[in-house]
Amino acid sequence: MAVRRIELMLCTGTGCVAGGAFRIYETLEEEIKNQGLEKEVSVVITGCNGFCGQGPLLVVQPDEIFYGFLTPEDIPFLVQEHFLKGRPVKKLMFTPPEKKEPVPLLTEIPFFKKQILVALRNKGIIDPEKIDDYIARDGYTALEKVLTSMTPDDVVDEITHSGLRGRGGAGFPTGEKWKICMAEQKTPKYIICNCDEGDPGAYMDRSVFESDPHTVIEGMIIGAYAIGVSHAYIYVRTEYPLAIKRMDLAISHARDYGLLGNNILGTDFSFDLEIREGSGAFVCGEETSLIHSIEGKGPEPRQRPPFPVQLGIWDSPTVINNVETWANIPVIINRGAGWFSKIGTETSKGTKIFSLVGKINNTGLIEVPMGITLREVVYDIGGGIPDNKKLKAVQTGGPSGGCIPSSMIDVPIDYESLTEAGSMMGSGGMIVMDEDSCMVDVAKFFTQFTNDESCGKCTTCRDGSEVFLEILTNIQNGDGKEEDLEFLEELGNVIKDASMCGLGTTLPNPVLSTLKYFRDEYEAHIKE
C-alpha cells in the first residue's frame, strides 16, 4: 500500500522569517525525524502565504489545514498530535475575531475567499528556490509558446488586447508602452524590472520575489523577445536581502536550464539579465531617477519627454515595468488576453495586489479583482476593525496617495475611481485607519516622509514640502491659524503643477485629501 504523503508548506517570507520561521523549519525537521515520520511527512519552504498577520504559519497539504502564530516550542506537540496521532491541533488554528471556534481549512478562511490569484498564483505552494517547482506549475510554458509559435507582434498584440496596465502606479497600458519602444529605430534596447518599492507599509514586490521569482524572469524574457532586447536589469533595493538572494538563485537556475543566455530553448533568441541593487532612495521609484541610479549617477529625475521608451538607460530606448506587471505576462500568454480582460472593469482589467495594513484585523498581502469595493476589502477580506471600532479612512497609493473617508467605503478599486476620490492606485499600499486616528497626524507623517525623500532638484518639491511640514507642525501643536488651511490648498496645487517628477506632483495628496474630507479635524487643532 502506498504511503499517504503529507507536505507541510511553511511560509518563509520576510515577515514569517522575522518571527522565527527558519527555527521552526529546523525544529520540524528534527521532530519529524525523531518520530520516524520521514516517509509520511516532509517540510516545503515557500514564500509569503499572504496572511501575514498570522505568521509564522504553515499549511498542511493535501488537507489544507491552516496553522498560524507558530513558535518553535509548538512544534513537538503539533507533530505528535497531528502527524503521529492524527488529531489536528485546534488551539493553533485561525479563529476569526467574531467567532469562538477555529476555522481549520485555508479554503474556509474569509481572508482568502474573495481573492483571485494571477500574479500570486504560486504563493505558498511552491519552493521559490527550486526551478522544478515552478516548472511543475506550468512555468516557462508561456515562454515556449512565444518562442515556437508567436512573432514579436503577436506577443505585443496579446498584451495590448488583455488591457494590462502598469501596476507601478501610473497605470499606463503595458502593450502600448512596448509598442512605442518596438517602433524606435535606435539599438540596443533595454528592459528593466522596477523593484524599488519605497512606500511605507508596502511589500508587494518583495513578496513576489520571495515567493515566485521565476514568474518575473519568464515575464521579462517574453517582453525582451517582443521588444527586441538582449540585456535587462532588475533594480531592487538593498534592504531586501532575502528577495535578492532568491532572485539571484532563480537567475542562476534559469541559466543552467538554458532559459537565459544564448539560443534560448534552441532558438535564435539570446537574452540575459542582471540584478542592480539600489540604496533605498524613494525617488528611485520614478523611472528616470531609477535609470540614473543604475548608470551610477545621482538619483535625480530628468524632464520628460523624451520618455524612457525613447531615451532611457545609456541613452537607449528602455521599457520599465514593475514586478507585478512582469509577473502577469506569463499568465496572459498562457490563458489568453480574452481570459484576462474578463477580470476587472471596462477600463481596469485583471487583478491588483495590495498590502493590507493598519487598523485591520486581517493584515496581509491580497490579490483582488479590479472593481472590488473598499468595503469588501476592509470587512470581507480584512475582517473589519479591531475592537469593533469605527472605520475612519483608507489610504491608498502610499505616501503619494490620498485618504478616502468611510463615507466612500463603497468606491470601486480601479484607476479612475480612486483618482476621482482624491487618491490613486499607486503600487498597492493600503492603510486602514480607525476612529482614533488623527488625520492631521497622518498628513504630517506622509509629508515628513516625502520631505525626507525629495531629491531636492525642484524648488516646489524641495521648499514646498518644507513649508508644508512647518505649517502642519504648527497646526498639530495648536499654533495654527485659520488662514493656514487655504494656504495649504493653494501651495499643494502649486507643488502638483510645477514639480518635475511623480514624487512632487503627488506629494500634496495626503494633505489635500484630508483637508477635503476631514477639514473639521484641522479646525479643531486650530481653534481648540
Side-chain angles (χ1 to χ4, degrees), residues 268-416:
D268 295 334
F269 177 60
S270 299
F271 169 76
D272 213 337
L273 51 80
E274 63 180 284
I275 295 173
R276 288 291 180 92
E277 295 183 35
S279 56
F282 178 67
V283 73
C284 284
E286 193 276 334
E287 291 184 336
T288 59
S289 298
L290 182 154
I291 287 171
H292 288 156
S293 179
I294 293 177
E295 293 175 333
K297 301 173 184 175
E300 289 185 349
R302 65 161 170 78
Q303 196 70 49
R304 300 181 305 172
F307 294 95
V309 286
Q310 301 155 324
L311 189 71
I313 193 166
W314 320 123
D315 293 331
S316 296
T318 306
V319 163
I320 303 177
N321 287 125
N322 88 320
V323 172
E324 185 181 346
T325 308
W326 290 118
N328 274 288
I329 301 301
V331 192
I332 293 171
I333 295 298
N334 265 337
R335 306 199 65 171
W339 172 84
F340 186 84
S341 64
K342 288 178 182 176
I343 305 170
T345 70
E346 187 63 33
T347 56
S348 299
K349 305 294 187 182
T351 60
K352 181 73 190 79
I353 302 174
F354 292 96
S355 56
L356 183 61
V357 298
K359 302 296 181 66
I360 190 85
N361 279 314
N362 302 334
T363 60
L365 193 74
I366 64 172
E367 185 173 5
V368 292
M370 294 280 198
I372 193 172
T373 65
L374 277 179
R375 181 187 299 276
E376 290 174 280
V377 169
V378 171
Y379 290 100
D380 295 344
I381 296 174
I385 315 301
D387 303 319
N388 291 318
K389 291 190 175 180
K390 293 179 181 177
L391 172 71
K392 178 177 279 190
V394 179
Q395 199 252 11
T396 68
S400 306
C403 297
I404 300 173
S406 58
S407 60
M408 299 178 68
I409 190 67
D410 290 308
V411 66
I413 298 172
D414 60 55
Y415 291 99
E416 290 75 21

Side-chain angles (χ1 to χ4, degrees), residues 101-400:
E101 287 296 314
V103 179
L105 301 182
L106 178 142
T107 51
E108 295 301 318
I109 295 174
F111 177 82
F112 296 102
K113 281 193 171 181
K114 289 198 172 183
Q115 298 191 47
I116 295 178
L117 304 183
V118 180
L120 296 179
R121 63 197 178 280
N122 292 326
K123 73 175 177 70
I125 55 176
I126 66 169
D127 184 338
E129 299 185 9
K130 293 181 179 177
I131 188 172
D132 289 342
D133 277 24
Y134 180 69
I135 290 173
R137 294 272 300 169
D138 294 331
Y140 292 107
T141 57
L143 175 61
E144 181 186 22
K145 178 180 178 181
V146 163
L147 294 184
T148 58
S149 64
M150 297 178 75
T151 66
D153 286 332
D154 291 338
V155 175
V156 174
D157 286 344
E158 195 75 10
I159 300 304
T160 302
H161 293 149
S162 74
L164 176 67
R165 295 169 66 171
R167 297 303 195 239
F172 191 82
T174 303
E176 285 187 34
K177 181 185 281 191
W178 290 14
K179 197 173 292 184
I180 295 169
C181 194
M182 280 181 72
E184 290 294 314
Q185 297 301 309
K186 186 174 181 180
T187 57
K189 299 175 183 178
Y190 294 91
I191 60 174
I192 296 173
C193 173
N194 181 355
C195 186
D196 184 60
E197 192 168 56
D199 296 8
Y203 48 93
M204 300 78 59
D205 295 346
R206 186 197 76 206
S207 295
V208 174
F209 270 36
E210 291 176 356
S211 60
D212 195 12
H214 285 283
T215 191
V216 178
I217 295 172
E218 185 177 13
M220 292 183 74
I221 303 172
I222 292 169
Y225 169 78
I227 298 161
V229 171
S230 61
H231 194 82
Y233 298 95
I234 293 177
Y235 186 86
V236 56
R237 54 179 44 228
T238 194
E239 295 96 330
Y240 284 178
L242 184 59
I244 293 169
K245 174 197 166 190
R246 286 181 174 167
M247 178 54 75
D248 191 49
L249 191 62
I251 291 170
S252 176
H253 288 166
R255 287 198 189 109
D256 291 343
Y257 276 54
L259 299 163
L260 287 173
N262 295 324
N263 305 113
I264 294 172
L265 294 180
T267 67
D268 295 334
F269 177 60
S270 299
F271 169 76
D272 213 337
L273 51 80
E274 63 180 284
I275 295 173
R276 288 291 180 92
E277 295 183 35
S279 56
F282 178 67
V283 73
C284 284
E286 193 276 334
E287 291 184 336
T288 59
S289 298
L290 182 154
I291 287 171
H292 288 156
S293 179
I294 293 177
E295 293 175 333
K297 301 173 184 175
E300 289 185 349
R302 65 161 170 78
Q303 196 70 49
R304 300 181 305 172
F307 294 95
V309 286
Q310 301 155 324
L311 189 71
I313 193 166
W314 320 123
D315 293 331
S316 296
T318 306
V319 163
I320 303 177
N321 287 125
N322 88 320
V323 172
E324 185 181 346
T325 308
W326 290 118
N328 274 288
I329 301 301
V331 192
I332 293 171
I333 295 298
N334 265 337
R335 306 199 65 171
W339 172 84
F340 186 84
S341 64
K342 288 178 182 176
I343 305 170
T345 70
E346 187 63 33
T347 56
S348 299
K349 305 294 187 182
T351 60
K352 181 73 190 79
I353 302 174
F354 292 96
S355 56
L356 183 61
V357 298
K359 302 296 181 66
I360 190 85
N361 279 314
N362 302 334
T363 60
L365 193 74
I366 64 172
E367 185 173 5
V368 292
M370 294 280 198
I372 193 172
T373 65
L374 277 179
R375 181 187 299 276
E376 290 174 280
V377 169
V378 171
Y379 290 100
D380 295 344
I381 296 174
I385 315 301
D387 303 319
N388 291 318
K389 291 190 175 180
K390 293 179 181 177
L391 172 71
K392 178 177 279 190
V394 179
Q395 199 252 11
T396 68
S400 306

